[in-house]
Amino acid sequence: MITEELESTDAASPPKNTPPAPSQPPAEKPTTAVPSSRRKYLLVFGAIILVVAAVAGQRLLAFWSQYQSTDDAFIDGHIIPTSARVAGHVAKVHVEDNQLVKSGDLLVEIDPRDYETKLAQAKAALQVLEAKKKAAEDTAAMTRTTSAAAVAQAQANVALARAAVQTAAADIEAAKGRQARADAEIVSAKAKIEQAQAQATATDAYVTRTQQDVDRYKLAVEASAGSRQQYEYAIAAHDAAVAVLDAAQKSVASAQANLNSELAAKSSVAAEAEQSASRKVEAEARVNDALGKLASALSAPQQIAVADSEVVAMAAQVEQARAALRQAELDLSYTKVFATEDGRVTRKSVENGAYIQAGETLLALVPQNVWITANFKETQLTDMKAGNAVDVTIDAYPGKSFKAHVESIQSGTGARFALLPPENATGNFVKVVQRVPVKITFDVPASADVLLAPGMSVVPEVKVK
């Protein structure tokens, strides 16, 4: 069109080699010459604008076909709440808001004295229970060691007691035999006494008669009426009778002594019989006692089981005390709150001297590792995938671009994971283009002079082709 205009303009002008026309008086310039020149310039300017617009449109179309962008994006990151694990008064706060800390730095100290006391109590309780466990183990070992010996000893005691019973029974039978013999000896001694007494009585009568003979022969001799020989025979007979009487009296005394001895022997035998009977009763009692001890010894497995169960119970109590000790140690360690990661302190709500409860949030740590959460329309995800390069512009740093890449695309729209997701099956349905969160990570961590905080607005441009 511009060429046609130029050609028409050239056609209107005279040729350069044409000879000049004869002089004529100057005529007035047509009034259409100025509008024609202005129109020419306007057409040129319009053509330039169209060319620029075409180039810009072409580049814009090329950008739209290769890049996807959104302003619904922001810096995201972990916000780590730091809480107290034990209750107590705050002894010292070592950090301030927005302070940069390293992992392991001491943040807050809680008064540890109560927990030190509990730790000492837990240690003492553990020592007591360990001593009781050792005693139970020694008792169980001693029960195992002495159980077999106790059974053998009890069996030997039973045998000895039964032998003692048999010995006592034999002694009783022997005493009964001796009693029978003593009774027979007593009867014999009594018979001998009676015989000796009868003989003594007869001899005494004979002595009296011989004495009478002596007296009569003596008178006869004195009167010369009898012979001296008969008188002497009478004296000899009397003396013999006296000797026999004396012997008879001694036999009576001997028989009486023998009777007394037999009676004493009988009493002794009776006493021995009573002692044997008493020993038998005692031996039978020892048998019963030995049988009871044997039964107790035979229950050694049950005693060992009881001792072992006591050891197990004490071991469980020791483990419980050890767990309490470990808990007391943990509680004491919890009085010092350390930073779990590198980051900045934010939202500090703890002060010196305050009383805090277990689980109470003291402050929050924001690590320097951040990323971008960009909510793209679902129509923009056609060619987008993990690994696509991204140019990021941050509102806080205009004119500065950051290199990044797509890390992942969420499997679900943001509305689907809302607290109250839409129920399209109810009511009238209006189709709304949904947005899908895309996680974008920086290729290079930001320098120290660039603050990238969660919530800051960004504009990512994802190269999809």
Side-chain angles (χ1 to χ4, degrees):
M1 182 177 183
I2 297 175
T3 304
E4 293 177 354
E5 292 292 334
L6 291 176
E7 290 178 351
S8 61
T9 305
D10 292 339
S13 61
K16 294 181 179 180
N17 295 327
T18 304
S23 59
Q24 294 177 357
E28 293 183 0
K29 294 181 179 181
T31 56
T32 59
V34 174
S36 177
S37 176
R38 184 179 299 175
R39 181 180 179 187
K40 177 179 68 175
Y41 290 117
L42 287 176
L43 291 175
V44 172
F45 182 73
I48 294 173
I49 290 176
L50 288 175
V51 170
V52 171
V55 172
Q58 184 179 5
R59 294 190 61 186
L60 184 60
L61 289 175
F63 174 81
W64 282 347
S65 63
Q66 295 181 5
Y67 290 87
Q68 295 293 341
S69 178
T70 181
D71 58 359
D72 186 1
F74 55 90
I75 301 292
D76 205 347
H78 297 292
I79 299 177
I80 305 172
T82 301
S83 304
R85 304 187 70 171
V86 293
H89 288 89
V90 177
K92 181 68 175 177
V93 179
H94 295 273
V95 292
E96 296 294 338
D97 275 320
N98 303 319
Q99 178 179 338
L100 182 63
V101 296
K102 297 293 184 180
S103 177
D105 287 351
L106 181 60
L107 304 178
V108 179
E109 284 187 82
I110 301 172
D111 189 355
R113 289 175 293 181
D114 292 340
Y115 299 98
E116 291 172 349
T117 302
K118 292 180 180 179
L119 178 60
Q121 292 174 348
K123 288 181 178 179
L126 177 60
Q127 291 176 353
V128 170
L129 291 175
E130 285 179 341
K132 290 183 178 180
K133 178 188 174 185
K134 182 64 170 58
E137 290 174 345
D138 293 341
T139 301
M142 183 168 27
T143 302
R144 292 189 186 91
T145 303
T146 59
S147 59
V151 171
Q153 183 66 34
Q155 290 175 343
N157 290 337
V158 170
L160 289 174
R162 286 175 176 172
V165 170
Q166 294 176 356
T167 301
D171 291 341
I172 291 174
E173 293 299 325
K176 289 180 179 180
R178 288 195 298 273
Q179 280 183 334
R181 288 193 298 272
D183 291 337
E185 291 294 335
I186 290 172
V187 172
S188 176
K190 287 181 179 180
K192 289 179 179 179
I193 290 174
E194 291 177 354
Q195 182 181 0
Q197 287 177 346
Q199 185 177 1
T201 301
T203 302
D204 184 60
Y206 180 70
V207 168
T208 299
R209 187 172 63 81
T210 57
Q211 183 64 43
Q212 291 174 356
D213 288 344
V214 168
D215 292 341
R216 190 172 59 253
Y217 283 119
K218 181 179 178 181
L219 291 175
V221 169
E222 289 177 354
S224 300
S227 65
R228 183 76 179 176
Q229 184 178 6
Q230 290 180 341
Y231 173 65
E232 290 177 355
Y233 283 155
I235 292 175
H238 176 69
D239 291 339
V242 170
V244 172
L245 177 60
D246 184 60
Q249 290 177 345
K250 288 181 178 180
S251 294
V252 171
S254 176
Q256 186 64 44
N258 188 26
L259 176 61
N260 293 334
S261 176
E262 293 298 334
L263 290 173
K266 181 180 179 180
S267 298
S268 177
V269 170
E272 290 179 359
E274 290 179 357
Q275 291 177 357
S276 298
S278 177
R279 286 196 298 272
K280 182 181 178 182
V281 173
E282 292 177 358
E284 289 174 347
R286 287 198 298 273
V287 169
N288 294 330
D289 183 63
L291 288 173
K293 290 182 178 179
L294 177 59
S296 177
L298 291 175
S299 66
Q302 290 81 2
Q303 294 177 0
I304 292 174
V306 171
D308 289 341
S309 63
E310 183 68 19
V311 171
V312 172
M314 293 308 302
Q317 293 183 14
V318 167
E319 289 302 321
Q320 185 178 7
R322 286 176 180 167
L325 176 61
R326 288 193 293 269
Q327 185 62 51
E329 291 173 346
L330 286 174
D331 289 343
L332 180 59
S333 68
Y334 294 155
T335 58
K336 293 183 178 181
V337 182
F338 297 94
T340 56
E341 290 189 22
D342 298 348
R344 290 187 180 274
V345 176
T346 58
R347 303 190 66 174
K348 182 177 75 70
S349 60
V350 60
E351 300 295 340
N352 292 334
Y355 185 84
I356 57 178
Q357 299 289 346
E360 181 178 345
T361 301
L362 308 179
L363 49 88
L365 285 178
V366 179
Q368 293 181 332
N369 180 25
V370 294
W371 61 90
I372 297 170
T373 299
N375 298 308
F376 285 94
K377 295 178 181 180
E378 56 185 330
T379 55
Q380 295 178 286
L381 302 179
T382 304
D383 298 319
M384 192 177 299
K385 59 183 179 297
N388 288 149
V390 183
D391 291 331
V392 179
T393 303
I394 301 176
D395 291 1
Y397 303 99
K400 190 172 184 178
S401 178
F402 297 85
K403 298 299 182 181
H405 64 276
V406 175
E407 180 174 313
S408 61
I409 302 174
Q410 180 173 295
S411 298
T413 64
R416 189 61 183 171
F417 293 98
L419 180 62
L420 297 175
E423 293 291 342
N424 294 334
T426 60
N428 296 324
F429 169 69
V430 177
K431 183 177 180 180
V432 177
V433 177
Q434 300 295 317
R435 290 186 178 267
V436 179
V438 177
K439 184 177 181 180
I440 300 173
T441 56
F442 292 95
D443 293 339
V444 179
S447 58
D449 59 341
V450 175
L451 175 63
L452 299 181
M456 296 177 66
S457 298
V458 301
V459 176
E461 295 178 355
V462 181
K463 183 175 177 57
V464 295
K465 290 183 180 180

